[in-house]
Amino acid sequence: MTGQLMVKAEGVHKSYGPAHILRGIDLEVRSGEVFCLVGPSGSGKSTFLRCINHLERIDGGRLSVDGELVGYRQKGDKLYELKDSEVAAQRRDIGMVFQRFNLFPHMTALANVMEAPVQVKGESKAVARERAERLLDRVGLGDKMGNYPSQLSGGQQQRVAIARALAMEPKLMLFDEPTSALDPELVGDVLDVMRDLAESGMTMIVVTHEMGFAREVGDSLVFMDGGVVVESGHPREVLGNPQHDRTKAFLSKVL
């Protein structure tokens, strides 16, 4: 069951030079919700995801996570950008899984998952190790803890990346097309892990092309195109009975 507001975007804009990527995004994600973002390449989905943890700075509007403005503090009616250390503190509570796994190649799977809690949170290695072992078990890699990334398949590396994000015990998980770089037969294992996370009540925002996953696991779905929200609703409604011509055209190609 979904609860209080976890993410709120109000009129979010983002440009790169003359390219206006996000053109006033308004949306809300509730605690415990699986929120899916779909749309063609270049529609602004991944950019929006990166704005949520201030990997990209927004140019207009407001974005808050768990009631706290992301990247800024408000004084009067003005917004002031936070220091890097304050942004880093906010990011601790937001896990992110990218298309490419971004694992440390010189570290084992276990060391990859232990690293951030030890270095960022100052946890003891014993505590971090116990959690890392439990998380690698959870993603089905209990027998691969001593393997280096080069010894793992793409799907296994992505599952290590998910375990690594979970090791920081985030309140929100962001997934940026986590299966798009994988061979088709490896996609299922990663989606199974994400399903398990959803069932455990983790708040998730998922940029995805996996419409079956969105339909089956998602609580809400937003179709984006050209930097705007074109259509939104329950995944089964939007995918099964799209109202907007642009949504219909997109879904006719991917379903």
Side-chain angles (χ1 to χ4, degrees):
M1 186 58 208
T2 55
Q4 69 207 54
L5 206 54
M6 179 60 78
V7 178
K8 185 175 176 71
E10 303 168 87
V12 171
H13 286 259
K14 173 67 187 174
S15 298
Y16 298 106
H20 198 169
I21 306 297
L22 300 177
R23 299 168 175 265
I25 300 292
D26 294 299
L27 54 81
E28 294 183 351
V29 181
R30 302 214 156 262
S31 179
E33 189 172 10
V34 179
F35 191 97
C36 297
L37 285 171
V38 304
S41 293
S43 58
K45 309 180 302 292
S46 295
T47 299
F48 177 68
L49 208 64
R50 292 169 65 84
C51 289
I52 292 172
N53 65 358
H54 208 58
L55 286 173
E56 300 288 353
R57 183 192 277 121
I58 66 174
D59 298 319
R62 298 162 66 88
L63 195 47
S64 46
V65 172
D66 206 13
E68 195 178 334
L69 274 178
V70 173
Y72 297 90
R73 83 161 46 83
Q74 184 161 358
K75 279 192 184 165
D77 54 3
K78 280 198 167 162
L79 294 180
Y80 296 89
E81 191 161 13
L82 297 177
K83 296 185 193 129
D84 288 348
S85 59
E86 294 170 305
V87 172
Q90 285 187 332
R91 266 194 210 125
R92 285 182 200 180
D93 292 329
I94 304 173
M96 186 151 185
V97 178
F98 299 89
Q99 291 179 39
R100 298 282 167 191
F101 327 118
N102 297 345
L103 297 176
F104 297 116
H106 62 289
M107 290 184 181
T108 63
L110 183 68
N112 263 284
V113 179
M114 287 174 60
E115 180 73 359
V118 171
Q119 298 298 334
V120 179
K121 283 186 166 177
E123 276 186 4
S124 74
K125 287 194 173 173
V127 168
R129 184 187 182 100
E130 189 273 327
R131 186 192 299 108
E133 288 175 350
R134 190 173 72 244
L135 287 169
L136 286 167
D137 267 334
R138 182 177 179 182
V139 300
L141 294 172
D143 59 340
K144 303 287 186 190
M145 295 188 194
N147 289 42
Y148 289 89
S150 62
Q151 300 168 313
L152 300 172
S153 72
Q156 289 169 335
Q157 290 185 60
Q158 191 60 295
R159 284 184 279 153
V160 173
I162 293 172
R164 181 178 62 178
L166 290 173
M168 290 293 282
E169 302 185 310
K171 56 191 172 189
L172 171 66
M173 283 284 282
L174 309 176
F175 292 88
D176 188 6
E177 297 187 24
T179 58
S180 66
L182 302 180
D183 293 334
E185 71 267 24
L186 303 176
V187 167
D189 291 338
V190 172
L191 293 180
D192 284 345
V193 170
M194 292 170 66
R195 253 184 220 103
D196 171 61
L197 268 186
E199 283 166 15
S200 73
M202 174 61 76
T203 312
M204 298 159 61
I205 303 179
V206 185
V207 172
T208 186
H209 295 298
E210 302 290 340
M211 299 302 158
F213 174 85
R215 184 190 285 112
E216 179 195 339
V217 182
D219 297 300
S220 300
L221 182 140
V222 158
F223 171 67
M224 281 178 67
D225 190 28
V228 299
V229 171
V230 176
E231 191 164 338
S232 63
H234 191 278
R236 288 197 179 102
E237 305 257 317
V238 177
L239 297 175
N241 186 25
Q243 300 301 303
H244 197 285
D245 287 345
R246 184 66 192 91
T247 319
K248 290 175 188 171
F250 173 76
L251 293 176
S252 73
K253 294 191 178 80
V254 300
L255 287 179

